[in-house]
């Protein structure tokens, strides 16, 4: 196994948050091996997130719409690259097709599947300490003395993208000089979504405090944005579904704070340095997806014996009461925001990882 890496492939196909959480590893690899050639394979619909990343020498767009045929063709194409090491941070059937035979040194992320299963199914916690997902990714390269730094995820925005976001915010009704905050009510799974009435109550309180509110997200959140906009059409900007991924990041960058579910937009906010108030329901800290190395506060209903009921989210609450989200009030959220503003930046210190930490 080479002690110096000169040609590296990192694989992470999806999704928004997971790809953003790869960026600390890309930075760590280039810090450890500044002269290496670094390639990153990502699904085509998400490559916008990494297009301007200065550490990437080649961004490989993966088309999964044609099934596995394109993956096999891409694998054949990449065989000539002769990578010193391949880091598979997806570690599923499709990523195994792509990585097959590309290097003698292939390293895959440890997803802690048995620990997850024990915690979700039996309530047995076998996590000896909290290891954020970005550091789990970096674990795959510990043998090369690659270590995390104290910085968080990153997105690289150009002025053109920022300008387009400003224009779209203005088209949605933003006026000069307003104090802007964002809310992102969406998440892929129902049990990760704070209920609409709770977001409505929070929005009312933010309006009372004198803020203009931007509703952010994809097309699935547009109707939610319209329902919230009824409260004050002149001070609620429904931007859901109207911005590209990077334009959404640029809009978040212009917000004083973003109130968001456990979702890709939560990690997007940390990557552009905007303070985050994150709402966690069916998932918990042990799974590694709390806001990483950022000014953030997490609001959750503590002490519920049914949490976590899943590691990714569910289509419905298995108990029927959805207490993990219903018990969180707008007052709880605003109190956490006030405490965060008073106490300043909260960051989880990056530990000095060693090979002994792998698997914890």
């Amino acid at each position: 196994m080479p002690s110096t890496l000169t040609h590296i492939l990192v694989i992470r196909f999806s999704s928004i948050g997971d790809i953003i959480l790869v960026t600390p590893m890309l930075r760590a690899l280039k810090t450890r091996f500044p002269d290496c050639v670094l390639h990153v394979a990502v699904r085509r619909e998400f490559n916008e997130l990494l297009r301007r990343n200065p550490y990437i020498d080649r961004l490989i767009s993966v088309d999964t719409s044609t099934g596995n045929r394109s993956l096999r063709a891409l694998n054949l194409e990449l065989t000539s690259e002769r990578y010193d090491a391949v880091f598979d941070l997806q570690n599923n059937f499709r990523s195994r097709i792509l990585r097959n035979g590309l290097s003698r040194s292939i390293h895959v992320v440890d997803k802690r599947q048995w620990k997850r299963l024990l915690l979700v199914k039996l309530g047995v916690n076998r996590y000896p300490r909290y290891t954020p997902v970005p550091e789990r990714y970096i674990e795959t390269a510990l043998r090369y003395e690659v270590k995390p730094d104290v910085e968080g995820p990153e997105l690289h925005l150009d002025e053109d993208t920022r300008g387009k976001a400003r224009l779209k915010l203005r088209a949605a009704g933003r006026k000069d000089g307003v104090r802007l905050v964002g809310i992102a009510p969406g998440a892929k799974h129902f049990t990760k979504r704070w209920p609409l009435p709770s977001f409505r109550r929070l929005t009312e309180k933010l309006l009372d405090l004198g803020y203009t509110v931007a509703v952010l997200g994809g097309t699935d959140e547009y109707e939610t944005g319209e329902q919230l906009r009824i409260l004050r059409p002149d001070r609620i900007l429904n931007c859901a579904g109207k911005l590209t991924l990077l334009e959404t990041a640029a809009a978040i960058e212009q917000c004083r704070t973003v109130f968001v579910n456990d979702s890709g937009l939560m990690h997007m906010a940390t990557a552009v340095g905007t303070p985050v108030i994150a709402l966690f329901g069916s998932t918990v800290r042990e799974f590694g997806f709390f806001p990483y190395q950022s000014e953030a506060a997490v609001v959750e209903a503590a002490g519920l014996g049914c949490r976590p009921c899943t590691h990714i989210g569910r289509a419905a609450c298995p108990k029927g009461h959805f207490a993990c989200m219903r018990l969180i009030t707008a007052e709880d959220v605003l109190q956490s925001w006030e405490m965060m503003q008073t106490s300043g930046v909260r960051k989880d210190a990056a530990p000095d990882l060693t090979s002994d930490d792998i698997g914890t």
Side-chain angles (χ1 to χ4, degrees):
M1 183 178 298
S3 58
T4 298
L5 300 180
T6 61
H7 205 180
I8 301 170
L9 174 63
V10 173
I11 300 171
R12 182 71 220 195
F13 294 152
S14 62
S15 288
I16 295 172
D18 303 274
I19 292 168
I20 291 171
L21 293 180
V22 171
T23 59
M25 180 176 180
L26 304 181
R27 185 173 63 241
L29 285 168
K30 277 290 191 173
T31 299
R32 177 70 178 89
F33 304 111
D35 297 324
C36 75
V37 174
L38 178 57
H39 294 181
V40 179
V42 63
R43 256 171 46 188
R44 179 172 297 168
E45 56 265 42
F46 300 118
N47 65 12
E48 179 184 1
L49 296 168
L50 298 178
R51 189 176 296 134
R52 298 183 61 83
N53 190 294
Y55 306 112
I56 299 175
D57 296 288
R58 179 186 175 188
L59 186 59
I60 301 168
S61 294
V62 178
D63 181 5
T64 59
S65 63
T66 59
N68 297 329
R69 288 178 299 162
S70 59
L71 288 170
R72 293 190 176 94
L74 181 57
N75 169 268
L76 186 62
E77 174 193 334
L78 295 177
T79 301
S80 61
E81 294 287 349
R82 301 184 182 276
Y83 294 111
D84 295 324
V86 173
F87 299 96
D88 182 357
L89 309 182
Q90 190 78 41
N91 193 18
N92 63 11
F93 177 73
R94 285 182 166 178
S95 67
R96 287 192 285 274
I97 292 175
L98 181 60
R99 80 189 192 213
N100 183 41
L102 294 185
S103 175
R104 293 182 178 179
S105 298
I106 295 178
H107 314 283
V108 300
V109 65
D110 179 3
K111 295 183 177 181
R112 277 80 163 163
Q113 290 175 323
W114 283 108
K115 293 174 184 176
R116 277 187 340 210
L117 186 64
L118 285 171
L119 186 54
V120 170
K121 298 298 184 182
L122 301 177
V124 176
N125 193 336
R126 288 291 183 264
Y127 290 85
R129 68 176 181 83
Y130 172 63
T131 306
V133 163
E135 292 168 21
R136 295 181 189 181
Y137 291 159
I138 293 174
E139 283 176 353
T140 62
L142 284 181
R143 67 199 67 197
Y144 302 106
E145 300 182 351
V146 176
K147 296 182 180 181
D149 54 27
V150 296
E151 302 301 320
E154 55 189 328
L155 286 173
H156 299 269
L157 307 176
D158 59 11
E159 288 308 312
D160 181 59
T161 300
R162 290 187 173 101
K164 289 177 179 177
R166 284 192 293 269
L167 288 173
K168 290 184 179 182
L169 285 170
R170 186 177 294 276
R174 184 185 185 183
K175 298 177 176 63
D176 293 336
V178 301
R179 296 188 300 163
L180 186 67
V181 295
I183 65 169
K188 184 175 181 180
H189 301 281
F190 171 82
T191 57
K192 286 188 173 186
R193 298 183 210 131
W194 201 34
L196 176 58
S198 299
F199 266 115
R200 183 182 294 112
R201 176 68 172 158
L202 174 63
T203 302
E204 289 171 342
K205 288 184 169 294
L206 292 170
L207 292 170
D208 290 342
L209 291 169
Y211 290 95
T212 292
V213 178
V215 182
L216 303 164
T219 54
D220 289 344
E221 285 70 64
Y222 177 79
E223 184 56 38
T224 297
E226 287 298 284
Q227 293 183 52
L228 293 174
R229 190 168 172 270
I230 294 171
L231 295 171
R232 280 292 299 269
D234 59 325
R235 286 175 52 203
I236 298 177
L237 320 178
N238 186 8
C239 300
K242 299 178 182 179
L243 306 171
T244 67
L245 284 177
L246 285 188
E247 287 169 1
T248 299
I252 289 173
E253 189 181 48
Q254 297 179 47
C255 294
R256 296 193 174 202
T257 302
V258 172
F259 302 86
V260 61
N261 296 317
D262 172 16
S263 64
L265 265 62
M266 177 185 73
H267 300 296
M268 184 178 284
T270 68
V272 297
T274 297
V276 171
I277 303 296
L279 301 151
F280 273 67
S282 58
T283 55
V284 293
R285 179 184 181 90
E286 281 81 357
F287 299 146
F289 288 99
F290 269 28
Y292 182 65
Q293 299 287 28
S294 60
E295 186 176 0
V298 171
V299 188
E300 55 188 335
L304 288 177
C306 55
R307 290 185 71 222
C309 65
T310 172
H311 72 280
I312 57 173
R314 288 175 173 267
C317 171
K319 299 289 186 181
H321 51 60
F322 200 29
C324 62
M325 280 300 200
R326 285 197 308 102
L327 290 177
I328 298 173
T329 68
E331 290 75 15
D332 295 331
V333 172
L334 289 175
Q335 183 179 29
S336 293
W337 187 27
E338 181 180 358
M339 291 175 61
M340 183 182 73
Q341 291 174 308
T342 302
S343 61
V345 177
R346 183 201 64 76
K347 286 190 176 184
D348 293 320
D352 185 15
L353 293 180
T354 68
S355 58
D356 294 334
D357 293 310
I358 296 178
T360 62

